[in-house]
Amino acid sequence: MNNYTNNLLNRKTIRKYSAKPVSDETLNDILIKGCRSSTTGNMQVYSIIVTRDAEKKLELAPSHFNQKMITEAPVVLTFCADFNRFNKWCHARGADPGYDNFLSFFTAAIDALLVAQTVCIAAEDIGLGICYLGTTTYMAHKIIDTLNLPNGVVPVTTVTMGWPDEDPPQVDRLPLEAVIHHETYSDYSISDINIFYSDKEKRNDSMQFMKENNKESLAQVFTDVRYKKEDNVHFSKMLLQVLKDQGFMNQ
Ligand SMILES: Cc1cc2nc3c(=O)[nH]c(=O)nc-3n(C[C@H](O)[C@H](O)[C@H](O)COP(=O)(O)O)c2cc1C
């Protein structure tokens, strides 16, 4: 097995970074590799905002609920769905772009996420640590202000990056059979669910989560504490408004 494949199997999210800088050359190399990702129609309907400036990171921090990685990581990357550049090209060349709709947002979001993941793989391949921040879609409106994102641009995810200063244990995954279906989808019986989630539920960290949050099941930690319906509804409304404001719901 080559190192690259090994790295994919051994990877883990890193949330604590050393003071060692990430050089411009290193970052550039990673970004070049990232931008080799597949992209819809080769349109490259994404942009990546690189934040290295300490003050800018401080400005971004509240949008990420002050998760410490934002201010502590040497590099913060905000991956955006971006039809602004492509639309401008079309207008400048006598072409009439029809990309002010939800499908186009989704297309651009897919492009942005594919680039993000390839950047992460390239970074981890040389020993850098990364952490995705899901707060980007919760607080897109604020990030748009902080990063001056114009119409046609919506942030979809953020990645913090730096040399690791921790070596946490790998976290679990469901068994492969739980997520793979052959030829057609085979729906889960309750006994499948019991089997597929049993290892996860038996883990010490899961037990700890349940105890700390006074919950009877691990699933309740997700539904009642970590990803609550009221939050999902609230942030969904905000994100839909962002899509309208940024010109993606004009059909
Ligand atoms: C889209 C996305 C959003 C995430 N958001 C956060 C986050 O806001 N804060 C955080 O500490 N980790 C975040 N993570 C990291 C996950 O918690 C982590 O990938 C998961 O627990 C599995 O751990 P592993 O990457 O070490 O295997 C996010 C991951 C993804 C893919």
Side-chain angles (χ1 to χ4, degrees), residues 11-13 15 67 69 131-135 171 173:
R11 68 153 302 279
K12 48 185 108 162
T13 288
R15 298 180 174 85
Q67 295 190 78
M69 297 79 86
C131 183
Y132 277 95
L133 299 183
T135 30
V171 301
R173 289 292 190 269

Side-chain angles (χ1 to χ4, degrees), residues 48-171:
I48 307 166
I49 319 292
V50 179
T51 307
R52 281 179 170 285
D53 179 63
E55 271 187 32
K56 209 68 195 162
K57 287 187 215 161
L58 270 179
E59 257 185 80
L60 274 175
S63 297
H64 294 286
F65 304 156
N66 293 311
Q67 295 190 78
K68 64 182 174 50
M69 297 79 86
I70 283 285
T71 45
E72 293 179 3
V75 177
V76 175
L77 302 172
T78 307
F79 293 87
C80 305
D82 182 357
F83 257 105
N84 174 50
R85 181 180 59 249
F86 197 79
N87 286 343
K88 284 195 164 152
W89 180 59
C90 292
H91 286 304
R93 300 292 182 267
D96 185 17
Y99 310 119
D100 56 350
N101 43 61
F102 181 69
L103 182 74
S104 300
F105 164 71
F106 210 79
T107 297
I110 290 169
D111 267 19
L113 291 172
L114 292 177
V115 174
Q117 182 56 14
T118 311
V119 162
C120 290
I121 292 169
E124 288 177 333
D125 192 43
I126 58 164
L128 280 160
I130 64 94
C131 183
Y132 277 95
L133 299 183
T135 30
T136 311
T137 39
Y138 295 3
M139 298 296 281
H141 57 297
K142 291 273 178 217
I143 295 170
I144 284 169
D145 283 349
T146 307
L147 299 179
N148 284 333
L149 305 181
N151 198 267
V153 185
V154 174
V156 291
T157 199
T158 300
V159 170
T160 57
M161 184 186 290
W163 299 103
D165 193 28
E166 65 171 354
D167 187 17
Q170 263 198 319
V171 301

Side-chain angles (χ1 to χ4, degrees), residues 148-233:
N148 284 333
L149 305 181
N151 198 267
V153 185
V154 174
V156 291
T157 199
T158 300
V159 170
T160 57
M161 184 186 290
W163 299 103
D165 193 28
E166 65 171 354
D167 187 17
Q170 263 198 319
V171 301
D172 63 299
R173 289 292 190 269
L174 295 174
L176 199 62
E177 315 88 85
V179 296
I180 305 296
H181 303 253
H182 292 283
E183 314 311 337
T184 57
Y185 191 97
S186 59
D187 205 354
Y188 304 91
S189 66
I190 187 62
S191 118
D192 294 331
I193 296 293
N194 289 341
I195 291 166
F196 291 150
Y197 283 87
S198 121
D199 283 352
K200 188 186 265 301
E201 288 172 328
K202 277 191 279 189
R203 290 171 59 90
N204 285 340
D205 51 1
S206 300
M207 300 284 187
Q208 187 66 23
F209 266 144
M210 285 163 55
K211 208 170 143 208
E212 276 168 12
N213 293 293
N214 206 16
K215 293 292 163 196
E216 283 163 17
S217 72
L218 181 62
Q220 286 175 354
V221 177
F222 284 87
T223 59
D224 302 357
V225 183
R226 296 188 65 191
Y227 302 99
K228 290 188 284 197
K229 176 168 180 154
E230 67 204 74
D231 293 344
N232 293 335
V233 169

Side-chain angles (χ1 to χ4, degrees), residues 18-33:
S18 79
K20 183 178 163 188
V22 176
S23 72
D24 287 341
E25 294 70 31
T26 299
L27 181 59
N28 214 39
D29 182 61
I30 290 166
L31 294 174
I32 287 171
K33 287 174 178 155

